[in-house]
């Protein structure tokens, strides 16, 4: 029953919700970002970060520091927090937490397959995988030659197995097909996650549907923009759009026939929430689109914390942390390459 | 919620135990009313157990117990939920503690109303005099 979850939520979820809210208070604020933007070297960044919650993770790093090390350690912190929460969770919260990582698993699978195609070393690829998306037998992905083998050898044991039924073809893996495979998998994952949240009901269903719908719409727009000018047919494009979200189904029909960015903008401006995003960009500019989408996503995720007794806070927290890590990576890269003026181009403040 | 939030903000532990104590207070109301009710109980001679007066007295005592039980059950749930929000918001911003405590006090008044009504109901339960 919506409205009565307060009576029983705390029995199983109260401890973890309190932990997540405690972690959220440790996210970097605008003041922290201002300090970091004024750093001259990576050592300065390390010094500033050691005053925040990242301290214990960075203090043992010898200088000279690399940007990838900073990002790796921050990701490690996120992974530790996630594993701690996963250990303590019971059903259905543990399933929910696992769903959050399937997106990373899909990315890892695609990374390894692409790398194998380009004859890279398996160990090198494994190091580049996102730690939240690791699963056993991931290394054997390197030996697969086409999708059917991929499925049969490796993926049938993983939680991603049901998503592959939509994209098993006998075609061999090549660059174009891999991107299509990635997007098809992600579409199946989002729809599965959406159904799962609806089944949970109550405040979780409401808040998560909103966040997932925004994610689905954002991916639809990105697919459209990236496939303008490629040989992806309109039907193929339409198959990659998820079947929920604000744009479903009429927006998808219109997006499928778009041929350039201005047409995309025309379609999106019919939907009030996205109109404000597209209004921030002047005509012909698409670099700022990513940042505008990230800002909107961060705003919605902060709103998820306004309500208590639902699982949306876990999803929102993981996403906010990932955004913070992206910010830190951008700031470190700008500082390392001495392009301080571009720092504010891509940093999204969370508070 | 108290345990989880205290990991990041250990200062909240002692103040937020008040919420837990409010919950215990409603249990004490139950004990008090049970003691009061048992002093009201009397045995009635067999010839008079179906008289209107004795039926009324019996039902009054029964109703008093049910009222106090349900009122304090709901009050306990209410105080617990508010106490959880109180712990979480105190961990983020300590000026919020007293404000949410006021809400919690209003919530615990529900249990008190139940006890008052229960005592009024049982006070006028008079058994027929033995005749």
């Amino acid at each position: 029953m919506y409205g009565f979850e307060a009576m029983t939520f705390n029995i199983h979820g109260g401890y973890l919700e309190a932990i997540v809210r405690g972690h959220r208070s440790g996210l970097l604020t605008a003041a922290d970002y201002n300090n970091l933007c004024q750093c001259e070297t990576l050592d300065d960044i390390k010094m500033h970060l050691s005053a925040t919650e990242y301290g214990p993770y960075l203090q043992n790093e010898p200088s000279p520091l690399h940007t990838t090390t900073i990002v790796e350690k921050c990701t490690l912190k996120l992974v530790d927090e996630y594993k701690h929460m996963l250990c303590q969770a019971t059903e259905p919260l543990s399933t929910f937490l696992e769903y959050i990582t399937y997106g990373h698993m899909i990315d890892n699978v695609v990374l390894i397959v692409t790398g194998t195609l380009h004859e890279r070393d398996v160990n090198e690829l494994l190091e580049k995988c996102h730690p939240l998306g690791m699963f056993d037998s991931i290394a054997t992905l390197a030996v697969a030659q086409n999708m059917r083998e991929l499925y049969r050898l490796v993926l049938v044991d993983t939680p991603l197995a049901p998503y592959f039924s939509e994209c098993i073809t006998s075609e061999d893996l090549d660059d174009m097909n891999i991107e299509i495979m990635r997007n098809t998998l992600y579409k199946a994952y989002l729809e599965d996650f959406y159904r799962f949240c609806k089944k949970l009901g109550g405040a979780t269903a409401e808040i998560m549907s909103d966040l997932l719908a925004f994610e689905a719409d954002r991916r639809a727009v990105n697919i459209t923009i990236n496939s303008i000018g490629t040989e992806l047919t309109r039907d193929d494009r339409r198959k990659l759009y998820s079947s929920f979200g604000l744009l479903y189904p009429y927006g998808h029909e219109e997006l499928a026939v778009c041929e350039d960015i201005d047409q995309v903008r025309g379609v999106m401006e019919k939907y009030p929430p996205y109109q404000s995003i597209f209004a921030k960009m002047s005509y012909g500019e698409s670099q700022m689109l990513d940042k505008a989408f990230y800002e909107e996503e961060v705003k919605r995720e902060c709103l998820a914390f306004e309500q208590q007794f639902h699982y949306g806070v876990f999803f929102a927290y993981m996403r906010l942390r990932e955004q913070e890590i992206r910010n830190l990576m951008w700031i470190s890269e700008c500082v390392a390459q001495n392009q301080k003026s571009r720092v504010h181009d891509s940093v999204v403040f969370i508070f | 919620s108290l345990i989880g939030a205290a990991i990041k903000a250990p200062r909240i532990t002692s103040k937020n135990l008040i919420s837990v104590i409010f919950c215990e207070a409603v249990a004490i109301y139950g004990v008090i009313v049970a003691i009061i009710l048992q002093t009201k109980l009397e045995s009635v001679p067999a010839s008079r157990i179906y008289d209107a007066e004795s039926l009324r007295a019996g039902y009054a005592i029964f109703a008093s117990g049910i009222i106090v039980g349900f009122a304090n059950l709901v009050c306990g749930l209410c105080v617990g939920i508010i106490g959880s929000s109180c712990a979480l918001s105190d961990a983020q911003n300590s000026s919020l503690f007293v404000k949410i405590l006021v809400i919690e006090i209003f919530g615990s008044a529900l249990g008190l109303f139940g006890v008052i009504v229960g005592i009024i109901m049982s006070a006028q339960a008079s058994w027929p005099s033995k005749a």
Side-chain angles (χ1 to χ4, degrees):
Chain A
M1 255 188 306
Y2 189 12
F4 286 90
E5 56 251 342
M7 295 206 296
T8 51
F9 182 87
N10 270 351
I11 302 174
H12 292 294
Y15 173 63
L16 284 173
E17 181 178 3
I19 287 190
V20 149
R21 285 177 186 266
H23 286 318
R24 172 211 180 258
S25 65
L27 287 171
L28 300 176
T29 63
D32 289 322
Y33 282 124
N34 276 332
N35 281 341
L36 286 172
C37 290
Q38 285 162 5
C39 287
E40 296 290 333
T41 69
L42 291 179
D43 285 326
D44 280 344
I45 290 186
K46 174 178 155 190
M47 193 178 70
H48 276 119
L49 283 179
S50 36
T52 68
E53 292 210 343
Y54 288 109
Y57 287 85
L58 282 177
Q59 70 192 24
N60 292 329
E61 292 301 308
S63 33
L65 216 49
H66 292 287
T67 56
T68 46
T69 326
I70 295 182
V71 170
E72 235 176 74
K73 293 296 166 192
C74 296
T75 321
L76 191 60
K77 175 174 192 289
L78 174 60
V79 170
D80 282 344
E81 289 170 1
Y82 174 77
K83 290 211 169 101
H84 175 73
M85 288 197 286
L86 191 58
C87 298
Q88 303 274 355
T90 63
E91 291 293 334
L93 181 55
S94 51
T95 319
F96 186 88
L97 287 175
E98 281 169 14
Y99 263 99
I100 299 178
T101 59
Y102 291 168
H104 291 295
M105 268 192 215
I106 293 174
D107 285 337
N108 285 352
V109 165
V110 170
L111 183 74
I112 291 194
V113 168
T114 323
T116 317
L117 217 59
H118 295 177
E119 318 273 334
R120 298 245 164 76
D121 179 37
V122 170
N123 291 327
E124 202 186 301
L125 292 171
L126 281 178
E127 277 172 27
K128 289 196 185 175
C129 282
H130 197 283
L132 278 180
M134 298 298 280
F135 52 92
D136 300 333
S137 73
I138 193 172
T140 47
L141 280 173
V143 297
Q145 301 295 338
N146 61 24
M147 284 199 208
R148 220 170 265 292
E149 259 185 46
L150 197 67
Y151 181 72
R152 204 170 43 85
L153 285 181
V154 180
L155 292 156
V156 70
D157 286 328
T158 66
L160 299 178
Y163 306 149
F164 273 83
S165 57
E166 285 194 30
C167 68
I168 295 244
T169 62
S170 331
E171 292 163 21
D172 282 327
L173 303 169
D174 65 23
D175 277 331
M176 177 70 152
N177 283 337
I178 286 180
E179 276 307 304
I180 295 183
M181 178 173 88
R182 181 211 294 265
N183 283 313
T184 326
L185 283 177
Y186 210 88
K187 167 194 169 187
Y189 155 64
L190 276 182
E191 290 179 2
D192 195 24
F193 200 0
Y194 187 73
R195 270 192 303 262
F196 176 71
C197 290
K198 280 263 181 246
K199 207 159 51 109
L200 290 176
T204 306
E206 184 172 316
I207 291 175
M208 285 306 297
S209 337
D210 181 52
L211 291 175
L212 289 176
F214 180 76
E215 177 74 16
D217 293 337
R218 181 173 82 163
R219 286 192 85 88
V221 170
N222 279 337
I223 289 174
T224 315
I225 291 183
N226 290 339
S227 61
I228 291 174
T230 67
E231 43 196 44
L232 198 62
T233 66
R234 290 176 185 177
D235 283 334
D236 278 341
R237 215 194 263 180
R238 197 172 304 145
K239 271 195 291 199
L240 293 175
Y241 296 151
S242 304
S243 57
F244 63 95
L246 207 56
L247 290 176
Y248 171 78
Y250 305 113
H252 289 161
E253 296 290 319
E254 294 177 14
L255 273 181
V257 300
C258 283
E259 293 299 332
D260 68 49
I261 295 191
D262 290 328
Q263 280 181 3
V264 170
R265 169 196 290 275
V267 169
M268 297 303 281
E269 283 185 347
K270 295 187 195 144
Y271 296 90
Y274 303 123
Q275 182 189 25
S276 49
I277 295 179
F278 278 78
K280 287 187 203 165
M281 308 168 357
S282 49
Y283 273 93
E285 223 186 71
S286 70
Q287 304 95 298
M288 299 304 285
L289 184 60
D290 274 345
K291 182 174 181 195
F293 270 129
Y294 280 138
E295 274 172 4
E296 177 73 18
E297 187 188 350
V298 161
K299 201 166 60 148
R300 289 181 187 216
E301 282 157 9
C302 286
L303 285 178
F305 281 93
E306 300 286 317
Q307 209 173 340
Q308 210 183 341
F309 309 124
H310 62 87
Y311 294 146
V313 288
F314 296 98
F315 180 77
Y317 170 70
M318 303 287 287
R319 285 295 168 106
L320 284 173
R321 260 294 174 212
E322 284 168 21
Q323 178 60 38
E324 183 178 277
I325 293 178
R326 273 196 288 266
N327 285 348
L328 284 175
M329 183 173 77
W330 179 261
I331 293 178
S332 327
E333 290 285 343
C334 282
V335 163
Q337 294 171 15
N338 263 326
Q339 290 192 7
K340 306 269 296 283
S341 51
R342 294 197 57 197
V343 161
H344 289 283
D345 273 352
S346 192
V347 172
V348 176
F349 293 133
I350 297 183
F351 299 124
Chain B
S1 301
L2 181 55
I3 295 175
I7 292 181
K8 283 287 160 115
R11 60 185 162 80
I12 68 167
T13 44
S14 17
K15 283 205 291 189
N16 284 93
L17 284 177
I18 290 181
S19 310
V20 181
I21 290 173
F22 271 134
C23 288
E24 196 226 347
V26 300
I28 293 184
Y29 294 156
V31 172
I32 291 173
V33 169
I35 293 175
I36 291 175
L37 288 182
Q38 66 87 28
T39 60
K40 286 263 155 206
L41 292 174
E42 275 178 28
S43 58
V44 172
S47 58
R48 307 205 57 183
I49 49 178
Y50 289 111
D51 281 359
E53 222 181 314
S54 45
L55 285 178
R56 191 193 73 134
Y59 276 118
I61 294 181
F62 178 62
S64 165
I66 298 257
I67 288 170
V68 171
F70 276 116
N72 280 310
L73 176 68
V74 169
C75 168
L77 270 177
C78 173
V79 167
I81 292 170
I82 301 179
S84 151
S85 306
C86 186
L88 292 180
S89 36
D90 189 17
Q92 303 275 345
N93 178 358
S94 42
S95 64
L96 290 176
F97 175 70
V98 177
K99 298 173 182 161
I100 301 192
L101 201 66
V102 170
I103 303 177
E104 210 173 314
I105 290 172
F106 279 119
S108 75
L110 294 174
L112 205 55
F113 296 156
V115 169
I116 292 172
V117 170
I119 291 183
I120 291 175
M121 291 280 305
S122 63
Q124 47 80 46
S126 55
W127 300 96
S129 47
K130 299 188 183 355

